[in-house]
Amino acid sequence: MRLVALLPLLLGAGTAAARTTVVVLYDPAQVPHVRFIAAFEEALAQQAPEARLVLRPLGAALPERRPRLLVAVGYEALKAALPGEQPVLAVLVPRVTLEAAIARAGRRLAPDGTVTAVYLDQPPDRRMRLVRLILPGARTLAVLLGPTSRRQRPALERAARIQGLRLRIGEVGPADRPPRVAESLLPGTDGLLAVPDPLVYNRYTLHGILLSAYHHHLPMFGFSKGYVRAGALAAVYSEPQDVARTAAELIRSALRRRLPPPAYPRLFRVAVNRHVARSLAVTVPDERRLEALLRAAEERDR
Amino acid sequence: MGKHMSRSSRVAAALLALWAAAGAAEEQRFAALPTELDIYGEVPVVLTASRLAQPLDDAPAAVTVIDRELIRLSGAREIVDLFRLVPGFLIITDNAGIRAVTLHGLADVYSRRFQVLVDGRSVYLPSLGGVAWTDLGISLDEIERIEIIRGPNAAAYGANAFLGAINIITRHGAETVGDLLRARGGEDHIRDGYLRIGRTHGDLDWRLVLGRERDTGFEGRPDTRDIRFLSLRMDWQASATDRWMLKSGLTGGFRQDGRIGRPGDPPRPIDVLSHYQHLRWSRAEGGDELMVQLYHQTHRMDEEYTLEQSIGAFPLTIRRDSLIVSQRWEVEVQRIGVLRPGLRTVLGASSRLDRVRAREYLGREGWLSNRLQRVFATVELAPRPRWTLHGGLMVERDDISGTHLSPRLSLNLRPHPLHTIRLSVSRGYRKPLLAEEYGDGTLRGTVDLGGGPVPVYIPTFRSSGGLDSERIISRELGYVGRFKGLTLDLRLFLDRLDRLITSFERPVPLTFPPGTTVEALDFANRRSAEVQGAELGVSWRSPRWRMHGSYAYTRIEAWGDAEAAELERSAPQHVWSLLVSRRLPEGWRASATYYFIGAWKALGFADPIGAVRRLDLRLERSGGRTHPWRVALVAQNLLDTYPETRYRPGKGPNFFDTRLFIELVMQR
């Protein structure tokens, strides 16, 4: 039995000397995971043809032989992959979550450690730049931070400062009602920037927060396409297939040189809710144009 | 006592348990980290097509929006007072409890040419017409915004959206989670209390409201009122796309009417009782929305009193028992669809039943009913960013006046993204009220000719019937401009109104004394009018400032009968208002509102009113992040005492002097 399992590995090693096994741990029941994998296989074939993908549904036993690299798709897979020593590439996990998870598992991030990632959330610079492109006259942005997202405060403030924005931050504790904190925070600001934190933003609180922002005639900048559908004015986000492209690039570098440090997805999209834009009387450029402007600005920064 | 205690403690324990359960759920979420589910998970659509306010420059008609902030800053205590901020709007006050709203005049105290909706439920009374504003059972705290459509919009709102439509949208349950207590007290014995309890259980949000409003009205007039209300709203997000809303309310109390020292019109309470139930299901996907709603409402007004008068030398006793019950049932289906970018449609149909019971006015004991069916469609076509074409059509059929077609066409041209010019033409109808068509009013009494009481009947109303709908054809030229936080809304209009239903007096024979007659009211489509004018709305906001101004110029020409000229004076030539507010440090906020109303005379009122100037001030201090509170001091009319419209001869003016009140709001 063991021999049979090893056979393809041995054969693979025989035909192409440098073929390396990359095991992907994912949940086949989750649509974003499946979409990630489809795009990942394709991107990897181009970026690192030497890699050989082995797909493992969550819950199935990991291969006996230690793979060269373990790709963990999503938070559950990450929790399963972290114990042990093998190099891990985490995808579809927000930055704060990854950092909390590796701290809990006692591991460290590359280049010092053996864990790297393509974050699921967007870099603060990109988000602030989008706000600036849509609201050229904005001065103050309201931000609700919870126990988890609180750690992003310095990074958000730095990114805001670069765009000439001031942040008015409302901290939400476990006993607070997020819509009410929003209600007291919003007057006098130019918009609300949503930052993922399940205590602050969940399907129960979103209603109150969005309505509160709307009643103050203020746009919300969401962090997903779903938020834009729900009523946020705009969001910059990455689809699983966008994340897959950046992940394939990281793997190429990991297999040929060393494990690179974590990165934000290089590909991203912008979504705009035209109904909300119309209602708030905000003139928002076309989505494709916003994407091009963001991309050009990031090129310049590099 | 002991039993009572144990019951209340059991309720308290149950509430506490609920509280604790909610707390535990919060705790669980607290431990969680954001995952891919937070980013890719399904989220319900919150700002659906029907919830979003249409921007002024996209709307097919002139619209004024009074939002929550403006409601607060105005210092208004009643909904009616808010309409002073809308260009061309006038308030007609019979007494503190009987008030009406109209646009550019043409109205008496039962303003019949307006549609008023609360969350899509028509609160127009099918009996006497108009809206019983004091009995709506809505506190200003629950209102999210009021959209006022200036000009006829029957194509979207149906008959009775004749001069305009008022759309009151109340706050969603998710926005009023927590407890709120408001107390208000001041001059004229203002004693208002309001308690709101809001809770959320995952996808279900609800609030329960309990309120009471009391005051003694105008100086020297018996118009004390005491109205209590209870209401419930539940919002359930059944899935990411489906939602349910259930609203129910009960209002009861009394409003005083009459006059001191006049035997024919003695001070007496009018007991009011009204209730409604409203259920709505909607499904929203992207910009599309499907909505089905069903509602019922009953409004009851009752006054019972005895008049001691005389016919010649003989004592006459009239027993009045004027119960008026108005009932409305309606079921409506509506679909908002975005067929492709630049093409938006609204399709709908509804069926309504109106019933009225009013023996003293209709001359019968039972119900009188009217059925109405309608189908409507509007299409919004924006083939280019520079122009939008709106077309609307409403087909209505009812038992009294048959079938009518109300079309509307408007073109919005946008030579520059910030400047819009609107051209529109529309036709609308106002259907006769049950009282106008079937009015058969009689006072019953007895006269003592020496040999004991003999019954007498005194006719008050005698409708000849056969009324036709009133018709309006409106043409307008509008402009909406935006300049850095400033919005300008200008409208020039020319309305032609025909077949206006007019009351007139007709001699009707009396049973006693034989051979004599009395003047009773009858109705006929007699008059026509041409109303032209200009309206201007200005609004400006910045993080610190808020400004809202309105102005209207009106000229009316009327003909049709000998007294048609009274229509010409039913609106002032100039009317304007300006609200300015500023945020100050430490949670202070100050606002001032100035109103000017030129000379005018509402229909059915005795004397014209000269120009009125009024200044209101409001000072507020608020604070508290998790337990918000605010205190506000409001001074209404700091200038000279003015008459707030006068009623029929002898009823006397309603003098409005300076009125102070203080308001305290606490939340947790």
Side-chain angles (χ1 to χ4, degrees):
Chain A
M1 180 66 196
R2 179 176 293 177
L3 197 69
V4 176
L6 281 177
L7 207 60
L9 260 179
L10 294 170
L11 283 176
T15 47
R19 266 204 98 144
T20 347
T21 306
V22 172
V23 172
V24 183
L25 203 56
Y26 76 115
D27 181 354
Q30 285 213 40
V31 179
H33 291 202
V34 176
R35 281 167 56 207
F36 169 84
I37 283 163
F40 185 58
E41 281 181 315
E42 200 177 302
L44 206 59
Q46 287 174 10
Q47 295 283 339
E50 70 271 29
R52 205 181 63 84
L53 277 187
V54 176
L55 303 180
R56 286 286 148 154
L58 254 178
L62 285 176
E64 293 287 312
R65 242 183 77 159
R66 240 184 81 177
R68 176 78 187 278
L69 185 65
L70 196 57
V71 177
V73 184
Y75 182 53
E76 290 304 317
L78 177 67
K79 281 197 293 188
L82 279 180
E85 235 102 282
Q86 73 274 47
V88 173
L89 167 66
V91 294
L92 303 194
V93 175
R95 181 174 184 161
V96 279
T97 307
L98 177 87
E99 285 171 356
I102 60 162
R104 211 177 288 158
R107 297 191 60 171
R108 290 198 305 164
L109 285 176
D112 307 329
T114 49
V115 180
T116 191
V118 181
Y119 300 133
L120 180 54
D121 42 349
Q122 301 294 314
D125 284 325
R126 193 178 284 162
R127 300 200 64 198
M128 295 296 175
R129 204 167 257 145
L130 180 70
V131 172
R132 182 47 85 211
L133 285 173
I134 293 175
L135 303 176
R139 283 190 285 194
T140 312
L141 214 52
V143 182
L144 292 173
L145 293 180
T148 335
S149 51
R150 190 180 294 154
R151 303 177 43 181
Q152 283 169 283
R153 185 173 182 151
L156 289 166
E157 280 176 334
R158 201 176 319 117
R161 213 174 307 124
I162 295 171
Q163 297 301 329
L165 288 164
R166 223 181 29 234
L167 296 187
R168 184 187 290 176
I169 288 174
E171 299 231 342
V172 179
D176 292 336
R177 290 194 192 102
R180 184 170 285 177
V181 180
E183 185 72 33
S184 65
L185 192 70
L186 287 167
T189 66
D190 298 290
L192 173 70
L193 183 81
V195 177
D197 187 317
L199 178 79
V200 185
Y201 293 99
N202 54 62
R203 59 173 281 156
Y204 306 122
T205 58
L206 176 64
H207 215 116
I209 298 174
L210 252 177
L211 287 177
S212 173
Y214 183 65
H215 296 151
H216 286 97
H217 298 265
L218 295 175
M220 178 203 264
F221 291 89
F223 48 75
S224 71
K225 196 164 68 174
Y227 269 48
V228 172
R229 260 171 42 94
L233 174 65
V236 54
Y237 67 98
S238 296
E239 291 284 4
Q241 50 268 43
D242 304 328
V243 175
R245 292 278 291 275
T246 308
E249 288 165 22
L250 285 195
I251 291 206
R252 175 195 169 94
S253 149
L255 295 186
R256 296 186 181 171
R257 293 187 292 275
R258 51 204 287 260
L259 204 60
Y264 283 104
R266 218 168 38 73
L267 297 184
F268 55 84
R269 298 156 201 238
V270 171
V272 174
N273 188 323
R274 294 286 154 193
H275 304 288
V276 172
R278 236 173 65 148
S279 184
L280 292 174
V282 184
T283 319
V284 185
D286 180 69
E287 284 90 330
R288 300 294 88 76
R289 177 157 168 72
L290 286 169
E291 287 164 7
L293 288 169
L294 287 177
R295 222 169 279 131
E298 289 185 10
E299 284 299 321
R300 273 201 308 277
D301 285 355
R302 202 166 289 163
Chain B
M1 180 72 187
K3 199 176 167 193
H4 178 79
M5 281 294 282
S6 78
R7 189 194 298 158
S8 64
S9 62
R10 235 179 300 147
V11 169
L15 282 175
L16 213 68
L18 263 175
W19 199 288
E26 294 281 335
E27 212 54 54
Q28 216 160 20
R29 281 207 289 273
F30 167 55
L33 293 162
T35 70
E36 69 270 30
L37 297 176
D38 291 274
I39 311 272
Y40 293 126
E42 216 169 306
V43 189
V45 179
V46 178
L47 301 181
T48 56
S50 58
R51 189 159 273 275
L52 286 170
Q54 198 171 27
L56 302 186
D57 42 7
D58 269 344
V63 182
T64 301
V65 177
I66 296 181
D67 58 24
R68 234 159 72 201
E69 187 184 44
L70 209 52
I71 291 175
R72 193 160 141 183
L73 297 177
S74 71
R77 184 172 154 245
E78 293 170 63
I79 298 175
V80 181
D81 287 316
L82 295 170
F83 301 113
R84 294 181 201 273
L85 297 167
V86 184
F89 268 66
L90 298 165
I91 293 156
I92 300 170
T93 304
D94 181 358
N95 64 36
I98 304 174
R99 308 177 76 190
V101 173
T102 186
L103 177 64
H104 305 306
L106 307 180
D108 59 16
V109 79
Y110 303 103
S111 177
R112 301 176 187 91
R113 300 183 176 104
F114 247 94
Q115 181 59 279
V116 181
L117 303 176
V118 178
D119 294 319
R121 171 175 60 95
S122 165
V123 293
Y124 184 85
L125 289 181
S127 49
L128 298 175
V131 171
W133 291 100
T134 49
D135 315 338
L136 285 182
I138 306 169
S139 158
L140 293 176
D141 300 74
E142 288 156 70
I143 299 175
E144 173 186 318
R145 66 173 187 272
I146 305 179
E147 294 176 351
I148 298 116
I149 291 97
R150 295 161 10 230
N153 203 357
Y157 292 95
N160 295 327
F162 190 76
L163 297 175
I166 294 170
N167 213 351
I168 300 173
I169 297 150
T170 66
R171 301 174 71 182
H172 188 277
E175 283 183 283
T176 50
V177 176
D179 304 333
L180 182 143
L181 184 70
R182 191 199 60 213
R184 189 193 282 136
E187 292 181 311
D188 300 315
H189 302 89
I190 293 175
R191 302 281 182 272
D192 298 346
Y194 177 80
L195 174 69
R196 186 175 80 203
I197 298 165
R199 292 289 177 274
T200 179
H201 306 282
D203 289 319
L204 178 76
D205 303 300
W206 58 265
R207 71 162 168 261
L208 192 69
V209 162
L210 204 63
R212 185 170 184 185
E213 287 174 3
R214 278 179 295 173
D215 63 54
T216 52
F218 292 105
E219 193 80 33
R221 296 216 47 190
D223 57 352
T224 293
R225 76 200 155 112
D226 185 352
I227 302 282
R228 292 155 224 218
F229 55 91
L230 172 72
S231 74
L232 172 75
R233 174 173 174 147
M234 295 174 92
D235 288 282
W236 179 43
Q237 186 79 43
S239 74
T241 52
D242 291 36
R243 66 183 68 192
W244 291 85
M245 179 196 80
L246 174 71
K247 283 181 70 188
S248 183
L250 177 68
T251 306
F254 74 86
R255 314 186 298 234
Q256 230 182 348
D257 197 6
R259 174 147 164 79
I260 293 163
R262 271 184 77 91
D265 190 11
R268 75 237 174 224
I270 301 177
D271 292 314
V272 293
L273 183 69
S274 90
H275 61 99
Y276 66 88
Q277 300 79 37
H278 184 181
L279 181 68
R280 185 166 70 191
W281 168 81
S282 60
R283 169 171 287 174
E285 275 161 304
D288 292 7
E289 196 171 347
L290 177 65
M291 185 270 285
V292 180
Q293 68 170 7
L294 172 72
Y295 68 81
H296 154 260
Q297 67 199 19
T298 294
H299 182 266
R300 216 183 130 96
M301 270 195 300
D302 195 8
E303 45 182 323
E304 273 179 57
Y305 60 99
T306 307
L307 290 175
E308 299 293 350
Q309 287 183 308
S310 60
I311 300 180
F314 308 111
L316 169 72
T317 307
I318 297 174
R319 258 215 70 68
R320 290 209 62 179
D321 178 7
S322 59
L323 170 72
I324 305 177
V325 188
S326 315
Q327 212 173 59
R328 174 165 282 185
W329 296 82
E330 183 160 18
V331 55
E332 185 179 0
V333 184
Q334 190 179 310
R335 170 159 189 90
I336 302 173
V338 181
L339 300 183
R340 55 184 170 76
L343 178 60
R344 186 171 180 267
T345 58
V346 181
L347 298 174
S350 82
S351 178
R352 176 194 286 176
L353 171 68
D354 285 341
R355 298 206 300 171
V356 175
R357 220 174 75 201
R359 198 199 63 202
E360 236 182 48
Y361 297 92
L362 300 175
R364 62 169 84 190
E365 290 293 339
W367 293 99
L368 193 61
S369 60
N370 185 23
R371 262 166 244 275
L372 176 112
Q373 281 90 34
R374 43 191 209 177
V375 182
F376 53 94
T378 64
V379 178
E380 191 183 306
L381 191 65
R384 303 236 179 287
R386 302 219 158 187
W387 57 281
T388 310
L389 189 69
H390 298 264
L393 182 70
M394 165 87 66
V395 184
E396 289 177 287
R397 205 198 69 79
D398 79 314
D399 294 346
I400 301 179
S401 56
T403 306
H404 285 106
L405 252 66
S406 307
R408 164 171 201 107
L409 194 65
S410 78
L411 177 65
N412 291 26
L413 293 165
R414 211 166 284 126
H416 181 272
L418 303 178
H419 304 278
T420 306
I421 292 163
R422 181 185 65 245
L423 290 160
S424 83
V425 55
S426 65
R427 187 173 75 191
Y429 294 91
R430 202 270 290 181
K431 299 188 171 279
L433 293 166
L434 285 163
E436 288 169 330
E437 177 72 14
Y438 302 113
D440 183 6
T442 305
L443 295 182
R444 289 152 197 247
T446 51
V447 65
D448 195 344
L449 302 172
V454 178
V456 289
Y457 301 96
I458 304 165
T460 51
F461 285 93
R462 280 295 179 271
S463 295
S464 309
L467 290 173
D468 207 343
S469 288
E470 298 181 343
R471 189 185 69 191
I472 185 170
I473 293 174
S474 176
R475 276 146 286 194
E476 66 172 31
L477 169 65
Y479 163 77
V480 177
R482 297 181 185 280
F483 313 85
K484 277 235 163 208
L486 178 86
T487 307
L488 266 184
D489 159 23
L490 180 71
R491 172 179 179 244
L492 303 173
F493 65 93
L494 175 63
D495 292 349
R496 169 71 194 255
L497 300 97
D498 284 301
R499 309 197 300 247
L500 292 175
I501 298 173
T502 311
S503 66
F504 61 96
E505 290 184 337
R506 178 161 75 83
V508 175
L510 266 178
T511 49
F512 178 87
T516 54
T517 57
V518 70
E519 301 286 326
L521 283 185
D522 193 0
F523 301 90
N525 297 93
R526 277 197 175 168
R527 295 176 181 170
S528 290
E530 206 164 73
V531 185
Q532 52 182 304
E535 293 165 2
L536 177 69
V538 186
S539 93
W540 181 63
R541 72 170 88 220
S542 77
R544 280 216 182 84
W545 291 89
R546 179 92 199 243
M547 198 191 90
H548 182 93
S550 77
Y551 167 78
Y553 166 83
T554 312
R555 221 184 69 196
I556 305 174
E557 224 179 294
W559 61 94
D561 64 10
E563 286 89 46
E566 68 171 339
L567 290 180
E568 298 181 355
R569 289 188 297 157
S570 67
Q573 207 169 40
H574 304 280
V575 52
W576 61 273
S577 70
L578 182 67
L579 178 150
V580 181
S581 166
R582 191 183 196 285
R583 246 180 237 283
L584 301 162
E586 309 276 320
W588 288 94
R589 204 161 187 195
S591 48
T593 316
Y594 184 85
Y595 302 96
F596 173 87
I597 307 151
W600 68 303
K601 179 177 167 300
L603 298 184
F605 284 68
D607 309 305
I609 298 177
V612 164
R613 288 168 186 82
R614 168 171 164 171
L615 175 69
D616 291 6
L617 289 184
R618 182 176 184 275
L619 188 64
E620 170 195 290
R621 172 116 202 254
S622 62
R625 197 183 66 117
T626 49
H627 294 83
W629 55 266
R630 69 170 194 261
V631 182
L633 178 69
V634 179
Q636 292 180 327
N637 188 28
L638 285 166
L639 308 177
D640 295 339
T641 297
Y642 72 88
E644 178 80 57
T645 53
R646 299 176 194 211
Y647 203 44
R648 298 190 182 91
K651 277 226 178 174
N654 302 314
F655 282 120
F656 200 106
D657 55 7
T658 303
R659 182 182 281 180
L660 286 170
F661 58 84
I662 191 161
E663 203 177 76
L664 174 70
V665 178
M666 286 183 302
Q667 271 178 278
R668 61 174 206 109

